[in-house]
Amino acid sequence: NGKDTAHRARSKAWSKLNKDWVNITTTLNTYKLTLDQYHSMQEAQNFQCYLCGVVEKLFVDHNHSTKKVRRLLCKHCNFGLGSFMENPDVLRRAAKYCEVYNVAV
């Protein structure tokens, strides 16, 4: 009905205007974190990616097997870990590869 359609339209508009809040709320709910816990994690890391130190939007990293929250990472580091299947042996080989071929930054 028209009332439901109007409500959905207002809800969608609010979500679009408050995208960052919606994203952080979804993240907190997903990982069962409070906003205070998330802010404490940010402060403990000086608002930087735990791995590379870049200051940008940080994502909650977690162990995909245990679901346990680890640290906050930038999108590149978070994606990188996932791309290497969180396998330390593969990550070590990748690091050695970069060292051998001098492509490390």
Side-chain angles (χ1 to χ4, degrees), residues 50-101:
Y50 185 78
L51 295 178
C52 73
V54 72
V55 177
E56 65 176 42
K57 183 176 179 181
L58 298 175
F59 297 85
V60 176
D61 179 51
H62 69 285
N63 180 303
H64 286 87
S65 298
T66 66
K67 308 297 184 218
K68 183 176 177 176
V69 171
R70 294 188 284 216
R71 303 288 177 150
L72 301 177
L73 304 178
C74 70
K75 66 183 174 187
H76 301 290
C77 289
N78 196 24
F79 183 75
L81 283 181
S83 295
F84 286 105
M85 301 160 289
E86 300 181 13
N87 184 321
D89 292 329
V90 175
L91 286 162
R92 280 189 280 276
R93 283 195 301 272
K96 184 66 175 171
Y97 175 86
C98 288
E99 290 168 356
V100 167
Y101 292 99

